[in-house]
Amino acid sequence: MGAIRRSLVMIITLSIFTGLVYPLAMTGLAQAVFPSRANGSIIIKDGVPVGSGLIGQAFTDARYFSSRPSAGGNDAANSGGTNYGGTSAKLQQQVSEKAAAVREVNGWEANRDVPSVLVTNSSSGLDPHLTPEAAYCQVERIAKARGLSIGQVRDLVTEHIEKADLGVVGEDRVNVLKLNLALDKLQQNQ
């Protein structure tokens, strides 16, 4: 009987700690240290939420920077990759088709190299970032489509480069949603 009592006390104690105390402590810590991230990094434009800085969105209009492809259609409820290996014929075909589409929309010659982030899915399918190189290679198309100078659009990309966390974790990146919103604002101010 004593063993059962001790077991029940242990189950109740662990349930309270792992199911209540720990989650509340982590939520409180996250709210105190990273309030924006803890609340989803919602981006507001004109008082209306337009997206999250943590979840990618598909941009197909030639006037906007294209985001990274997503196997799940940038749907947070359907995140994940394709699970194709590097030698998969399906993956190679998809990459080839996406590269051809990127070349076509940007007006590039057929043998021009395409940055890998523009033709490969992220592992989650929700990556909101591009490499600066992938953003810079779209500048000419966007400047032409919007009637802006290449220098203006290039400077906008440069202003929106987020450095690696703590200078060493990850790599430099550009948040596509934030960049596209800044692009709209730049054109409005013209």
Side-chain angles (χ1 to χ4, degrees), residues 16-57:
I16 290 171
F17 182 76
T18 60
L20 194 62
V21 174
Y22 180 76
L24 288 174
M26 290 300 103
T27 301
L29 181 65
Q31 288 292 336
V33 179
F34 304 109
S36 176
R37 286 188 178 185
N39 293 316
S41 298
I42 303 300
I43 296 174
I44 308 291
K45 179 182 177 187
D46 300 327
V48 178
V50 294
S52 168
L54 301 175
I55 298 176
Q57 295 182 19

Side-chain angles (χ1 to χ4, degrees), residues 25-155:
M26 290 300 103
T27 301
L29 181 65
Q31 288 292 336
V33 179
F34 304 109
S36 176
R37 286 188 178 185
N39 293 316
S41 298
I42 303 300
I43 296 174
I44 308 291
K45 179 182 177 187
D46 300 327
V48 178
V50 294
S52 168
L54 301 175
I55 298 176
Q57 295 182 19
F59 291 95
T60 56
D61 189 323
R63 299 174 321 115
Y64 290 103
F65 285 90
S66 300
S67 56
R68 190 162 186 185
S70 170
N74 293 102
D75 179 3
N78 189 26
S79 72
T82 61
N83 293 330
Y84 293 141
T87 59
S88 166
K90 269 191 163 179
L91 176 64
Q92 292 173 6
Q93 178 184 353
Q94 284 181 356
V95 167
S96 178
E97 290 169 358
K98 288 175 185 174
V102 168
R103 287 184 189 104
E104 182 180 337
V105 76
N106 285 291
W108 299 344
E109 60 275 359
N111 61 350
R112 180 168 172 177
D113 287 337
V114 176
S116 63
V117 297
L118 291 177
V119 296
T120 57
N121 301 324
S122 67
S123 59
S124 69
L126 302 174
D127 190 354
H129 298 102
L130 289 176
T131 62
E133 174 195 15
Y136 282 128
C137 75
Q138 299 179 64
V139 164
E140 192 173 325
R141 166 182 52 89
I142 292 163
K144 183 179 177 184
R146 288 185 173 258
L148 298 169
S149 76
I150 291 173
Q152 286 176 300
V153 179
R154 179 174 281 286
D155 290 347

